[in-house]
Each structure stands twice: as C-alpha cells, then as structure tokens.
Amino acid sequence: MNFGKYKIAQQINNKGIYAGIELEAEINLQPFNIKIEYETSFFEGWQSGTEWKSAIAFGTQYFLAHIDTPYNHRKGIYVKVIRFQGHEVDTTMALVSIVTIKALMDALKVSIYKEPFVDTKNFIYCFPF
C-alpha cells in the first residue's frame, strides 16, 4: 500500500475552500474493480462522515478512468481512507472529489489526463472531459 495525501485551504474573496484527505492505495489486477475502506475514525471533526463517501467514491472512479493507459490494460484499485478533514461551510462534494484524486496521484506517483482543478479566479471546480 502506498500512502498519499492532499489538502487545500484557501480563501478566495469572501469564500473559503477547505478539505484534506490521507489515504493508502494500490492498483489491483481486476479491471474496474474498486474497493474503498474507511478507518473507524477517519472523519475528523464530523458527527457522521457518510455524506462524503460518495464524493470520495466519485474521485476514485474519476482517477481510475483517467489514468493514461490503454483501455484494454485498465486495472482496479484498492483505497483505504485514513483521515478526512473538512468544514461544514467550506467543504463541498466537488472539492472532496478533487482532493481524493490528488491524494491518489500522490500515493501512486502517477499523473492523469484531464486532471481536475479549482479555478480560484472564478471560484469554479473544473472536471475536464
């Protein structure tokens, strides 16, 4: 398992964005097989973190779909989320997906094509397709 993390905390005009994630990941040989596990207390400061699990799952699927490999060489992925940090006002599902993708890139030391980003000038979350 490879450790990766990514955190963004930024004030843009009068709006803030904040999210962070720490995870372990490894590619597996079963095409498109995605398995995500969560540490018992990984949602730091949240009563219930279940609302963010779908954003983490989307980020993982986006990452796997955009690794620059031929279609017939697609692999699966195993992810273990260790810690998630967010704030009720400054954390969105789109942002959680982006930090998940960036943490997976860090863990597996790969880049992806059509990498998502935060347009800080216009305050837009961008997922190129």
Side-chain angles (χ1 to χ4, degrees):
M1 295 287 282
N2 302 297
F3 178 79
K5 64 181 180 177
Y6 191 82
K7 184 176 184 177
I8 187 166
Q10 191 169 0
Q11 189 72 25
I12 304 169
N13 299 322
N14 62 345
K15 297 179 183 178
I17 57 173
Y18 177 72
I21 194 166
E22 296 178 18
L23 51 78
E24 294 178 338
E26 68 183 3
I27 298 293
N28 66 44
L29 300 176
Q30 299 174 353
F32 302 104
N33 180 19
I34 297 172
K35 183 176 181 182
I36 304 171
E37 292 184 359
Y38 300 90
E39 286 282 325
T40 305
S41 60
F42 74 98
F43 287 114
E44 199 172 280
W46 295 90
Q47 290 291 100
S48 166
T50 56
E51 64 268 27
W52 303 116
K53 288 183 179 179
S54 59
I56 293 168
F58 173 79
T60 303
Q61 292 168 343
Y62 188 97
F63 170 83
L64 193 60
H66 290 85
I67 293 176
D68 199 11
T69 58
Y71 185 80
N72 60 343
H73 289 97
R74 292 287 181 195
K75 307 258 187 276
I77 191 169
Y78 170 72
V79 178
K80 182 176 183 181
V81 180
I82 299 167
R83 180 175 295 120
F84 170 79
Q85 299 168 310
H87 185 270
E88 277 186 45
V89 176
D90 300 331
T91 304
T92 65
M93 293 184 74
L95 185 61
V96 173
S97 296
I98 290 173
V99 297
T100 300
I101 293 163
K102 303 277 190 179
L104 289 169
M105 292 171 60
D106 179 47
L108 298 170
K109 307 299 183 232
V110 297
S111 58
I112 62 172
Y113 66 96
K114 301 181 181 181
E115 183 178 337
F117 61 95
V118 179
D119 177 347
T120 55
K121 182 178 179 185
N122 299 305
F123 201 77
I124 300 171
Y125 301 110
C126 303
F127 289 85
F129 55 96

